[in-house]
């Protein structure tokens, strides 16, 4: 076929991505990717964000996609370059983030010869993608890239396209660049019969609890109205906590290992639980015999976590719209009031470590998070590392007017916070972006501090320097092991960050925290605040069963004991 445009596949690809709304490509260039890097520079519409590790590139693209709801892109060069993407892509895929990843590879004529840096991307990425193909000829590329983008957007996940070096650099053979994805709102309505069946179950039940996840986070006001009509307590997941705690009088806590017994109890004792938009993965917290109605836009998730009486594949908002006129108002508020009483008790217990902020050399992390909650902007983006910071944010971070929290909710990877903050800062300039990093998590992808500094991104990094893999320390204790290999020997993170161009401070006295945190948040550019926190803080046992099995030893005073 004639190349009417006289351009390479790489140049055509960049044109197609730009026309499809891709704004940034997070990547590290090299070898087979160089043609694409060169084309991006010449084209000028896409910003190449040069990361220090491809795993971080995938986390950053994922954060951009999750914040904007639009397609985001990352890339890795041959072999190790794209192999490094994989952990971030797993996280993106499990977060339903629409991400396109370009895995450039060695030339196709050496495939299968153990060539230098040879990998098979289709095999490599098979378990973390919704679309995963390898281009072999230039003619395929535009339609393949289109299919990849559309799959990422429509299925909600990662698409990987393998692009061999020789394909990238050949002349493009198709001159049609209209292969751009359609952004459709996936709003599936429930049928009348399904709504009638749900209303019938709810109207016959004495008590109903509503368990909501991120799939319903766009319509908190509808959840609120339904919960008020039914006098039903609302229980959330950690992921959807900020969106649902802003204005939800019937909120009684969130579920799971980091959750509160008030929510768990409400679910355990309700006649019927209405599950809206969550793929909450811990069946142990959800009684198997519970009568449940589940509504999820992703039909394949129905019944995955609970034995359903009724499963409906629909958008949560449309479902509530249709259900509201069909359900009778519940006049009895005793069940709701009991749950609200439990939640009020927990909230007052949660204030204890905040009112007792620790001492020099040992700042209580609860106090640190409560302070951050007080000082952070009402519309900030907070990214959270996996570990104890999940515990503190789940208990002390509130929704503000429009705050957003990103974490490795479903994949549970360490080191996600800093690269996600990079993606958030690139995607949402002007919005305050805060990375809540563990000392272990920060060290794991520490090179990304250099990315922040190089692009002068105004990311605010908060390091909880507890000198340990503290979450794992507790995991080992709770399982009856003597914790080992969990201690960390740390540098002064602030001194280190200053050499990179950050405004940075270390705080080891709770009395200094407020002033230091204000200076940190008000800094113009990159800023890091390292807080020397209590290694043994562990008030994550808001769950009675975990409390009972805990062997806290001399850390007992760190546990917040709660009655039932
Ligand atoms: C990539 C990866 N490696 C290991 C783990 C297991 N893990 C979960 S939390 C954690 C400790 C995190 O330590 P740190 O970042 O210092 O946070 P802390 O719990 O101390 O607040 C580890 C090792 C993981 N989740 N992800
Ligand atoms: Mg730590």
């Amino acid at each position: 076929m004639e190349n009417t445009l006289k351009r390479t596949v790489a140049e055509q690809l960049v044109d197609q991505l730009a026309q499809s709304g891709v704004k940034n490509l997070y990547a590290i260039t090299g070898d087979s990717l160089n043609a694409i890097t060169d084309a991006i520079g010449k084209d000028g519409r896409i910003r190449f964000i040069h990361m220090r590790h491809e795993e971080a590139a995938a986390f950053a693209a994922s954060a951009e996609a999750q914040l904007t709801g639009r397609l985001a892109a990352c890339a890795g060069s041959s072999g190790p370059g794209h192999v490094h993407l994989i952990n971030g892509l797993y996280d993106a895929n499990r977060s339903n983030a629409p991400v396109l990843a370009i895995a450039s590879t060695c030339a196709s004529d050496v495939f299968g010869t153990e060539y230098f840096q040879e990998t098979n991307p289709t095999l490599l990425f098979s378990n973390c993608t919704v679309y995963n193909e390898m281009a072999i000829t230039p003619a395929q590329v535009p339609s393949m890239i289109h299919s990849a983008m559309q799959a990422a957007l429509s299925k909600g996940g990662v698409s990987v396209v393998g692009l061999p070096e020789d394909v990238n650099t050949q002349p493009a053979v198709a001159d049609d660049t209209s292969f751009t994805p359609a952004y459709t709102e996936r709003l599936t309505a429930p049928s009348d019969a399904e709504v009638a069946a749900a209303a019938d179950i709810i109207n016959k039940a004495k008590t109903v609890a509503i368990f909501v996840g991120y799939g319903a986070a766009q319509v908190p006001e509808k959840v609120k109205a339904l919960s008020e009509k039914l006098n039903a307590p609302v229980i959330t997941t950690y992921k959807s906590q900020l969106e649902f705690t802003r204005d939800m009088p019937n909120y009684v806590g969130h579920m799971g290992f980091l959750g509160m017994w008030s929510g768990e109890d409400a679910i355990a004792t309700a006649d019927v639980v209405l599950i809206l938009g969550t793929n909450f993965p811990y069946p142990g917290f959800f009684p198997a015999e519970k009568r449940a109605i589940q509504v999820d836009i992703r039909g394949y998730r129905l019944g995955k976590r609970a034995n359903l009486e009724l499963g409906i594949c629909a958008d949560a908002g449309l479902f509530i719209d249709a259900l509201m006129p069909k359900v009778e108002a519940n006049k009895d508020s005793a069940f709701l009031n009991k749950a609200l009483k439990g939640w009020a008790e927990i909230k007052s217990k949660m204030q204890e470590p905040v009112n007792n902020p620790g001492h020099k050399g040992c700042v209580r992390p609860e106090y640190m998070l409560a302070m951050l909650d007080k000082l952070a902007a009402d519309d900030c983006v907070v990214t959270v590392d996996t570990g104890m910071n999940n515990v503190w944010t789940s208990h002390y971070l509130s929704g503000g007017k429009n705050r957003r929290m990103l974490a490795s909710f479903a994949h549970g990877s360490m080191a996600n916070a800093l690269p996600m903050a990079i993606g958030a800062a690139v995607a949402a300039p002007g919005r305050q972006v805060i990375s809540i990093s563990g000392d272990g998590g920060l060290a794991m992808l520490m090179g990304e501090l250099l990315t922040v500094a190089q692009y002068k991104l105004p990311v605010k990094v908060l390091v909880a320097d507890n000198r340990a893999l503290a979450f794992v320390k507790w995991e080992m204790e709770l399982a009856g092991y003597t914790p080992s290999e969990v201690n960390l020997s740390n540098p002064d993170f602030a001194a280190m960050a200053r050499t990179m161009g950050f405004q940075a401070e270390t705080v080891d006295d709770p009395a200094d925290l407020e002033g230091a945190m204000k200076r940190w948040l008000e800094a113009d550019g990159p800023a890091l605040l390292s807080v020397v926190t209590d290694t043994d803080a562990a008030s994550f046992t808001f769950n009675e069963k975990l409390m009972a099995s805990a062997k806290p030893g001399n850390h007992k005073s760190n546990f917040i004991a709660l009655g039932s």
Side-chain angles (χ1 to χ4, degrees):
M1 219 172 157
E2 194 190 359
N3 173 19
T4 54
L5 294 179
K6 303 279 185 278
R7 58 183 179 178
T8 63
V9 167
E11 288 163 341
Q12 182 190 43
L13 168 74
V14 171
D15 184 20
Q16 187 182 12
L17 295 182
Q19 287 197 50
S20 301
V22 171
K23 302 263 182 288
N24 307 294
L25 183 81
Y26 302 88
I28 298 177
T29 195
D31 49 75
S32 53
L33 197 60
N34 291 340
I36 294 174
T37 307
D38 181 66
I40 287 177
K42 287 180 176 148
D43 179 277
R45 284 172 293 171
I46 294 177
R47 194 172 176 202
F48 190 107
I49 306 291
H50 166 198
M51 308 291 289
R52 301 303 173 107
H53 193 302
E54 293 85 351
E55 176 179 341
F59 274 125
S62 173
E64 177 179 326
Q66 291 184 66
L67 264 188
T68 63
R70 299 185 67 83
L71 186 78
C74 59
S77 60
S78 293
H82 63 242
V83 171
H84 262 186
L85 289 169
I86 198 158
N87 190 49
L89 291 185
Y90 255 92
D91 187 76
N93 199 48
R94 300 194 66 179
S95 305
N96 301 122
V99 169
L100 172 69
I102 306 287
S104 73
T105 74
C106 58
S108 59
D109 60 349
V110 294
F111 280 5
T113 65
E114 295 187 38
Y115 187 73
F116 176 65
Q117 295 188 326
E118 186 187 349
T119 64
N120 184 330
T122 317
L123 281 182
L124 182 67
F125 296 108
S126 63
N127 195 32
C128 61
T129 43
V130 294
Y131 180 96
N132 179 27
E133 299 286 345
M134 171 81 107
I136 304 297
T137 69
Q140 295 172 277
V141 175
S143 55
M144 187 177 268
I145 292 288
H146 170 262
S147 298
M149 292 191 289
Q150 197 63 58
L153 284 164
S154 301
K155 294 185 177 176
V158 171
S159 289
V160 170
V161 174
L163 278 182
E165 183 168 18
D166 54 321
V167 175
N168 287 342
T169 50
Q170 279 180 56
V173 293
D175 62 1
D176 185 355
T177 52
S178 64
F179 289 110
T180 57
Y183 280 83
T184 66
E185 290 198 48
R186 290 176 301 136
L187 294 179
T188 307
S191 73
D192 291 348
E194 288 170 328
V195 176
D200 188 51
I201 294 170
I202 289 169
N203 287 335
K204 284 181 182 149
K206 206 160 170 297
T207 54
V208 176
I210 304 176
F211 180 29
V212 282
Y214 200 76
Q218 305 311 312
V219 291
E221 70 294 342
K222 294 184 183 185
V223 173
K224 180 183 170 191
L226 181 65
S227 75
E228 287 177 343
K229 189 164 187 186
L230 299 179
N231 262 328
V234 175
I235 302 96
T236 70
T237 55
Y238 167 42
K239 181 173 179 177
S240 63
Q241 165 201 329
L242 294 196
E243 283 75 9
F244 282 113
T245 46
R246 268 178 209 128
D247 176 26
M248 194 64 64
N250 292 354
Y251 173 75
V252 298
H254 62 86
M255 275 277 272
F257 289 110
L258 317 179
M260 295 90 175
W261 58 259
S262 48
E264 217 184 302
D265 203 46
I267 286 184
T269 54
D271 281 354
V272 168
V273 179
L274 176 59
I275 307 170
L276 298 175
T278 173
N279 192 31
F280 179 78
Y282 307 112
F285 288 90
F286 202 93
E289 70 284 2
K290 184 57 49 188
R291 295 180 64 202
I293 303 168
Q294 184 181 1
V295 180
D296 202 298
I297 194 83
R298 296 185 166 85
Y300 65 87
R301 286 185 169 163
L302 296 173
K304 233 179 197 180
R305 314 297 184 195
N307 288 326
L308 301 183
E309 193 156 320
L310 181 64
I312 300 175
C313 177
D315 169 73
L318 294 183
F319 171 76
I320 297 175
D321 287 345
L323 184 75
M324 272 298 264
K326 301 254 175 351
V327 287
E328 291 150 21
N330 179 6
K331 300 273 178 285
D332 187 350
S333 56
F335 176 66
L336 171 65
N337 288 340
K338 180 170 174 276
L340 285 171
K341 189 162 163 280
W343 170 230
E345 222 179 286
I346 289 171
K347 268 202 296 194
S348 93
K349 276 284 178 193
M350 287 203 297
Q351 277 311 302
E352 285 179 12
V354 177
N355 298 336
N356 171 21
H359 51 83
K360 190 161 170 53
C362 186
V363 179
R364 290 289 305 219
E366 299 93 330
Y367 177 69
M368 177 183 82
L369 246 297
M371 184 67 76
L372 181 71
D373 189 49
K374 189 172 97 174
L375 299 179
D378 251 352
D379 68 341
C380 63
V381 178
V382 174
T383 62
V384 189
D385 258 352
T386 297
M388 295 305 290
N389 286 318
N390 293 129
V391 181
W392 317 130
T393 48
S394 88
H395 292 167
Y396 295 102
L397 195 65
S398 58
K401 280 204 187 76
N402 186 28
R403 286 180 182 167
R404 179 75 193 269
M405 175 166 58
L406 298 174
S408 185
F409 295 107
H411 190 49
S413 173
M414 283 172 73
N416 56 295
L418 179 60
M420 282 180 157
I422 291 173
V426 168
R431 210 164 159 183
Q432 186 181 66
V433 176
I434 298 167
S435 170
I436 304 183
S437 302
D439 46 353
L442 182 69
M444 195 174 264
L445 285 175
M446 197 138 73
E448 297 312 323
L449 288 174
L450 297 169
T451 309
V452 172
Q454 183 158 340
Y455 287 96
K456 298 192 170 39
L457 296 171
V459 169
K460 308 291 175 263
V461 181
L462 178 64
V463 194
D465 181 0
N466 55 17
R467 297 142 336 268
L469 305 173
F471 190 87
V472 174
K473 195 168 99 126
W474 281 109
E475 254 177 16
M476 294 184 87
E477 287 222 21
L478 293 172
Y481 301 113
T482 301
S484 61
E485 307 302 339
V486 290
N487 294 330
L488 300 173
S489 165
N490 288 334
D492 177 347
F493 289 113
M496 192 191 74
R498 276 195 294 274
T499 70
M500 298 178 184
F502 279 67
Q503 175 177 317
E505 255 182 90
T506 297
V507 167
D508 72 346
D509 191 327
D512 300 333
L513 185 66
E514 183 161 11
M517 204 174 253
K518 283 182 179 158
R519 288 190 289 280
W520 166 71
L521 286 173
E522 283 160 12
D524 277 341
L528 181 141
L529 181 65
S530 179
V531 182
V532 178
T533 54
D534 183 354
T535 314
D536 297 324
S539 60
F540 62 98
T541 46
F542 281 91
N543 174 293
E544 284 180 297
K545 277 179 238 125
L546 264 182
M547 276 289 298
S549 65
K551 294 189 188 70
N554 58 359
H555 311 309
K556 202 162 199 155
S557 58
N558 287 305
F559 282 79
I560 294 180
L562 292 171
S564 60

